[in-house]
Amino acid sequence: MPAEREEILLKFRKAGIFTKIIIAFLVVYAVVSLTTLRTKIAAAREEQQALREQIAQQEAENAELDYAVKNSGKQDVIEDVARDELNLVYPDEKVYYVN
């Protein structure tokens, strides 16, 4: 083993300066590329998480709308819409707003 290692080191020492510069350039290029890729991956993961949250919100809204459509003929749903969205009340009913 040590003889093989010494042989590799000898070949490296015999390599010209041009070869060493090319190897150094390739190593620097690889490090920069990996760093850039890590940054892009982190940004993509953040975007993925934001999209997952958006999907969850949309699914919740869809469930609410589905419930409203399926139960639109029921009296209590009609009253809820009249109270919450149209601010309607019964004629003999008194509404108090508290801040």
Side-chain angles (χ1 to χ4, degrees):
M1 271 298 219
E4 290 177 9
R5 187 171 183 196
E6 287 180 28
E7 188 177 318
I8 291 172
L9 286 174
L10 236 125
K11 285 182 182 179
F12 184 73
R13 287 182 187 151
K14 288 182 182 178
I17 187 78
F18 183 72
T19 305
K20 291 177 184 177
I21 290 173
I22 289 176
I23 290 173
F25 175 75
L26 290 175
V27 168
V28 169
Y29 177 76
V31 169
V32 170
S33 295
L34 288 174
T35 305
T36 303
L37 285 175
R38 282 187 177 180
T39 304
K40 287 181 181 180
I41 289 171
R45 285 186 178 153
E46 288 178 11
E47 183 180 357
Q48 182 184 33
Q49 183 60 31
L51 290 172
R52 284 185 178 160
E53 291 171 5
Q54 203 174 22
I55 288 170
Q57 290 174 350
Q58 191 64 47
E59 287 176 345
E61 184 180 341
N62 287 351
E64 290 176 12
L65 291 172
D66 187 45
Y67 174 80
V69 167
K70 287 180 181 177
N71 298 306
S72 62
K74 293 184 179 179
Q75 185 66 26
D76 60 335
V77 174
I78 294 171
E79 287 180 9
D80 286 342
V81 171
R83 286 180 192 277
D84 297 337
E85 295 180 20
L86 303 175
N87 295 322
L88 298 177
V89 295
Y90 286 107
D92 59 343
E93 186 177 24
K94 292 182 181 180
V95 179
Y96 298 97
Y97 295 101
V98 178
N99 288 336

